[in-house]
Amino acid sequence: MADKAPPLLNPVLSLQMDPKPEAPTARGKSQRSVVFARLPTQQRVLAASARSLFSSRSVLPSFAGTTHLVVRMFSEDSLAPTHTPDDLFSPVNGCRLVAPYRGGYLIEASLSHLDHLARAIESPANYPVQADISRVESLSSFTPVDRARGRSIEDLWQSAPEDDGGRLFVVWLAPFRTPQAREVLLEQVELLSQRQILLPAFPNVRLVSGPDSTAVTSAGSPRDLSVQRQSGIARAMRSYRNTGVGRGTVRIASREALGALLASGASYRVDPVRPVRVAAPGEGAHPAIAVDLENAPIVGVVDGGLHASSYASAEAWRARKLVTDAQADRKHGSAISSLVVQGHAWNTNRALPDLNCRIGTVQAVPARNTNARVDEQDLVDLLAETMRAHPETKVWNISANQVGDDPETVSLLGHELTGLSRHFGVLPVVSVGNVSATGGSRPEPPADCEAAIVVGGRAANASGGPAGPCPRCLGGPGPDGMLKPDVSWFSELRMLGGVTDVGSSYPTALVSSLAAHTFDNLRNPTPDLVKALLVSAGELDEHHPQLGWGTPYQGTMPWSCAPGTVALTWNAQLQPGVAYYWSGIPIPPEMVHNGKLLGRATLTAVLKPVVSPYAEANYFATRVETSLQYPVKQDEWKSLLGSMMESTLPESDARENLKKWQPVRRHCRDFTKGGGLVFSGNQLRLYARIYARDLYQFGWQTNSDVGAQEVAFVLTLRGPNDEPSIYNSTAQMLGNFVESAVINQDIEISNEA
């Protein structure tokens, strides 16, 4: 079996070392935070805006005396979380921040206090308020154009799919903090429904039950349920009443009705429904191929279903069907299943690992030539139901995408898939999407799922190894600067039926199999640790917009150390606002030559971040900063890996150049170049710190409200000459602070040089 590592193969090591926490000096607004050159001008501009809003308060959409305003910051110097204008827009002035918005913030403001706000701007009480005034560029009402994200009503209308005399949209209800405003908003939604402005979507579908259903059947005994599902309007209202965040799929009958919805103020954002689609793999017979699947890990395959009898023995379970056999993309579903089960057997001319998997089938993707349409929320409910029923399935392959619409916002499906992943402890593996005549150039949902491994496509070279990007597959970045795809693999593959096709669907199946075996081989796997190992295994030093970090297989399984390397892995729980140091990581003698540090190192960290419930700007509310450091003098350390400039550069530069708020951090360096580094001592140390922003949107006040954040680390060291002894020497020096991270494989240390 491919998942049984040879006994002499070096397993990745699990670091059993606790970090030392230190509390850094806190930063806050002070006189130094004020941009005095702008302060007088901005006092006049913002006070005039507040008075204008007060005078026009009777025509602003309001709920229990409150309305939404948009604050935009000076982008060149005021986007950092330390400049959040919560001292000016505070309850004292009848305001509170409720959500991040593009280039600024969404404010909940009391209409009767807008004149008080104007006076507070004209006569600021202290330096923090002055700092806010000097850094806010504009203050305005939250208009229908803002709710439509700058699109015209006509463009928004035309981008939505038709259904039953109207068009389908996902409506996100406007966020309010005060209970009275929420209740009035729900009354407004009821009124919009009674006026036929908001209509139920998918009125004839009766195949889906709620997320608490356990109606999932084992393979061989599928049964279609006829359960009346709740309308998107009712779903949104129920969620909004319970949590303050509500969204649902609705049908809108006309452009005029869409305009009335936007003007009502009841929505935060309105997105066209995005159909799920795949690329057909071609024609061909189903060969009977015998494979040994005993104890093979299971991958949940969300696609057009498995319809090849030759692979029936590979199916571990089958969920109820979201689309019928007549509607499903049968060929694509069977093709993806064959690649997940035994992609290497179909593609002997590719450098692929010999891995076999079983599959669980979720038949949820309709064929292009049918008029079947799947409600995104119904798909989410089905996945929740199935993940709950099959906790042994840790990897979920989704080789299907939706047409992208707004590249700056996270899609409903991508956002919900992240929630499922975190709740059930599973790892989605998602295709980045394919280039099409009607599509965009960015990753297609749900490739904007931050918790997923998103897979891009690449060509093969003459020897069957990875080559350049595939022109048929999309590239990054994703919304809010997401570094997507994460990895890439062969996009042109042979599959069930003996046909060959090209697309991002197919490398996704290969990565799913590899991820499932990585889960299966680790002693204490987590989705983020598996993701970190696959990202760390990529061969690229810099993230490539189409290739990601490269291909996660270079002849060595991710749970093993490549020849001449040693890899340390661990998970940590880090409290925001605290600096952590892992001291005592030994410098292997193989990396020391003539008093200088030589070789190469790679540090990969994957954060399980807090994300905005509104899936908009500033999607990531927490970030991790990390570096590997080496000693240069007594009590003086320099960064060996990691820039350490994320917190010192201007926010716009740090976001653009250092990808500051991305949850995957990967730092690589070959320090042999330049003759090596002079150092002192014999140990390295690793630093990490969690930062948080926009806490107001969760109702939090301090870092302690955020709680500990989980981070998965992988640190790989390599000597300058790929010395094989580096593994044993590092394990010996760490002693009891390290153990094998792999099941049924202890560390074998040889005394040979």
Side-chain angles (χ1 to χ4, degrees):
M1 285 290 294
D3 58 335
K4 301 297 183 182
L8 295 180
L9 205 59
N10 294 329
V12 295
L13 303 176
S14 177
L15 187 66
Q16 306 292 306
M17 185 183 292
D18 293 329
K20 177 185 176 182
E22 295 183 7
T25 303
R27 293 188 297 170
K29 297 173 191 172
S30 64
Q31 184 177 1
R32 297 178 60 185
S33 305
V34 183
V35 184
F36 284 102
R38 281 200 305 249
L39 180 59
T41 299
Q42 290 312 108
Q43 283 183 275
R44 291 193 298 271
V45 169
L46 300 180
S49 296
R51 294 194 187 283
S52 175
L53 290 167
F54 180 69
S55 64
S56 61
R57 63 190 182 279
S58 62
V59 298
L60 295 177
S62 62
F63 302 86
T66 61
T67 191
H68 278 146
L69 308 177
V70 174
V71 166
R72 289 183 170 86
M73 311 296 289
F74 284 99
S75 59
E76 67 271 17
D77 60 11
S78 302
L79 291 177
T82 51
H83 300 312
T84 302
D86 49 1
D87 289 282
L88 174 60
F89 299 103
S90 66
V92 173
N93 296 324
C95 301
R96 63 182 73 197
L97 283 71
V98 291
Y101 191 71
R102 299 177 182 186
Y105 304 89
L106 188 70
I107 306 294
E108 179 180 332
S110 168
L111 293 173
S112 62
H113 280 68
L114 288 174
D115 59 339
H116 180 87
L117 176 64
R119 291 193 296 272
I121 294 170
E122 292 170 335
S123 303
N126 49 42
Y127 285 128
V129 174
Q130 289 183 21
D132 289 350
I133 296 169
S134 70
R135 294 182 179 278
V136 172
E137 182 175 21
S138 65
L139 172 66
S140 61
S141 62
F142 191 42
T143 67
V145 174
D146 294 323
R147 299 176 197 278
R149 301 309 185 260
R151 296 168 293 191
S152 68
I153 291 179
E154 179 63 23
D155 288 343
L156 189 59
W157 177 260
Q158 291 295 339
S159 60
E162 297 182 16
D163 185 81
D164 194 24
R167 292 183 183 259
L168 299 177
F169 296 88
V170 176
V171 175
W172 301 61
L173 299 183
F176 282 96
R177 288 284 176 265
T178 57
Q180 298 89 340
R182 290 183 186 178
E183 286 302 318
V184 174
L185 185 138
L186 290 175
E187 293 173 3
Q188 176 76 356
V189 172
E190 283 278 12
L191 181 61
L192 291 171
S193 181
Q194 293 172 10
R195 293 171 53 195
Q196 302 292 292
I197 290 174
L198 295 179
L199 299 170
F202 305 99
N204 298 320
V205 177
R206 298 177 59 87
L207 294 176
V208 180
S209 64
D212 295 331
S213 170
T214 58
V216 181
T217 62
S218 60
S221 59
R223 58 190 178 95
D224 290 331
L225 301 183
S226 182
V227 180
Q228 180 65 54
R229 62 171 177 78
Q230 192 175 35
S231 75
I233 302 170
R235 181 199 301 273
M237 294 176 68
R238 181 186 61 187
S239 176
Y240 189 82
R241 180 172 281 110
N242 293 335
T243 68
V245 179
R247 52 190 173 266
T249 305
V250 302
R251 181 166 50 94
I252 297 178
S254 66
R255 295 172 182 81
E256 292 72 23
L258 177 59
L261 168 64
L262 294 171
S264 71
S267 65
Y268 173 62
R269 52 184 269 204
V270 178
D271 301 327
V273 163
R274 299 163 172 170
V276 180
R277 65 182 187 184
V278 297
E283 302 290 343
H286 297 157
I289 299 177
V291 292
D292 181 10
L293 296 174
E294 184 180 0
N295 298 321
I298 303 170
V299 174
V301 178
V302 183
D303 212 287
L306 176 64
H307 303 274
S309 58
S310 56
Y311 277 90
S313 62
E315 192 174 45
W317 52 260
R318 178 176 293 191
R320 62 180 175 81
K321 299 173 182 178
L322 193 59
V323 295
T324 66
D325 289 350
Q327 298 168 331
D329 198 323
R330 297 159 54 96
K331 291 179 181 178
H332 192 271
S334 294
I336 294 299
S337 297
S338 72
L339 291 174
V340 171
V341 173
Q342 49 170 189
H344 65 283
W346 283 103
N347 297 275
T348 56
N349 60 343
R350 297 283 188 266
L352 294 173
D354 184 4
L355 299 175
N356 296 326
C357 289
R358 293 177 290 163
I359 60 171
T361 300
V362 180
Q363 185 169 304
V365 180
R368 287 175 176 266
N369 60 357
T370 71
N371 60 2
R373 186 174 288 117
V374 173
D375 185 354
E376 297 163 279
Q377 196 64 60
D378 286 346
L379 175 57
V380 170
D381 288 348
L382 176 60
L383 291 177
E385 169 188 313
T386 312
M387 289 173 182
R388 183 178 296 109
H390 297 285
E392 76 284 0
T393 303
K394 294 299 184 181
V395 174
W396 291 75
N397 184 98
I398 304 177
S399 290
N401 298 91
Q402 300 172 303
V403 178
D405 181 56
D406 184 351
E408 299 302 319
T409 58
V410 178
S411 68
L412 171 66
L413 186 55
H415 182 64
E416 294 278 19
L417 191 58
T418 285
L420 292 178
S421 171
R422 299 311 187 187
H423 180 76
F424 291 105
V426 301
L427 179 61
V429 183
V430 181
S431 56
V432 72
N434 298 333
V435 174
S436 67
T438 57
S441 59
R442 305 277 290 273
E444 293 183 329
D448 52 1
C449 169
E450 70 82 14
I453 293 181
V454 174
V455 184
R458 66 191 307 176
N461 58 29
S463 60
C470 171
R472 295 274 298 275
C473 300
L474 294 170
D480 207 28
M482 281 190 196
L483 294 177
K484 299 294 185 180
D486 296 281
V487 298
S488 56
W489 220 338
F490 304 119
S491 58
E492 183 176 10
L493 292 174
R494 183 172 176 265
M495 60 205 74
L496 189 65
V499 299
T500 299
D501 200 10
V502 183
S504 63
S505 293
Y506 311 123
T508 303
L510 302 180
V511 173
S512 292
S513 294
L514 187 62
H517 278 270
T518 304
F519 253 109
D520 206 40
N521 277 274
L522 295 179
R523 289 189 179 184
N524 299 297
T526 66
D528 288 328
L529 181 58
V530 171
K531 182 175 181 177
L533 282 168
L534 267 63
V535 167
S536 181
E539 80 280 11
L540 301 182
D541 288 352
E542 300 287 340
H543 186 272
H544 188 282
Q546 289 176 283
L547 301 179
W549 298 105
T551 295
Y553 175 75
Q554 311 297 325
T556 302
M557 299 300 187
W559 57 90
S560 300
C561 295
T565 71
V566 59
L568 304 175
T569 69
W570 69 100
N571 286 299
Q573 298 284 337
L574 308 181
Q575 185 68 38
V578 178
Y580 292 85
Y581 294 94
W582 284 263
S583 301
I585 299 174
I587 299 176
E590 291 80 3
M591 300 178 72
V592 180
H593 294 265
N594 299 322
K596 291 186 177 181
L597 194 62
L598 301 175
R600 175 182 169 82
T602 302
L603 171 62
T604 303
V606 177
L607 169 69
K608 181 179 178 180
V610 176
V611 297
S612 171
Y614 309 110
E616 248 278 341
N618 285 14
Y619 186 60
F620 301 108
T622 54
R623 70 175 178 92
V624 61
E625 183 176 273
T626 185
S627 72
L628 182 67
Q629 302 172 346
Y630 71 102
V632 291
K633 296 179 182 178
Q634 185 175 2
D635 298 327
E636 183 178 341
W637 298 79
K638 284 189 177 181
S639 180
L640 181 65
L641 301 174
S643 70
M644 297 294 292
M645 297 176 65
E646 293 94 326
S647 299
T648 58
L649 287 177
E651 182 75 6
S652 56
D653 292 341
R655 292 186 188 186
E656 177 65 25
N657 300 325
L658 301 179
K659 314 303 179 187
K660 174 178 179 176
W661 287 94
Q662 297 309 305
V664 175
R665 312 302 296 165
R666 189 167 188 263
H667 306 300
C668 307
R669 184 178 179 185
D670 186 341
F671 35 92
T672 299
K673 299 176 182 178
L677 304 172
V678 177
F679 71 101
S680 173
N682 58 6
Q683 295 180 342
L684 304 170
R685 75 175 187 182
L686 189 135
Y687 154 84
R689 181 179 173 183
I690 300 293
Y691 291 82
R693 65 177 175 181
D694 301 328
L695 302 186
Y696 55 84
Q697 62 184 323
F698 309 101
W700 298 336
Q701 301 294 324
T702 65
N703 281 329
S704 60
D705 296 329
V706 181
Q709 300 288 284
E710 183 176 317
V711 187
F713 293 94
V714 178
L715 173 62
T716 303
L717 304 175
R718 182 191 294 269
N721 302 309
D722 288 345
E723 297 89 344
S725 58
I726 192 173
Y727 185 90
N728 286 343
S729 62
T730 303
Q732 285 177 329
M733 288 186 289
L734 282 167
N736 293 330
F737 291 106
V738 73
E739 64 181 27
S740 171
V742 176
I743 294 174
N744 299 328
Q745 180 146 17
D746 295 325
I747 306 171
E748 297 186 8
I749 299 177
S750 170
N751 292 323
E752 298 178 5

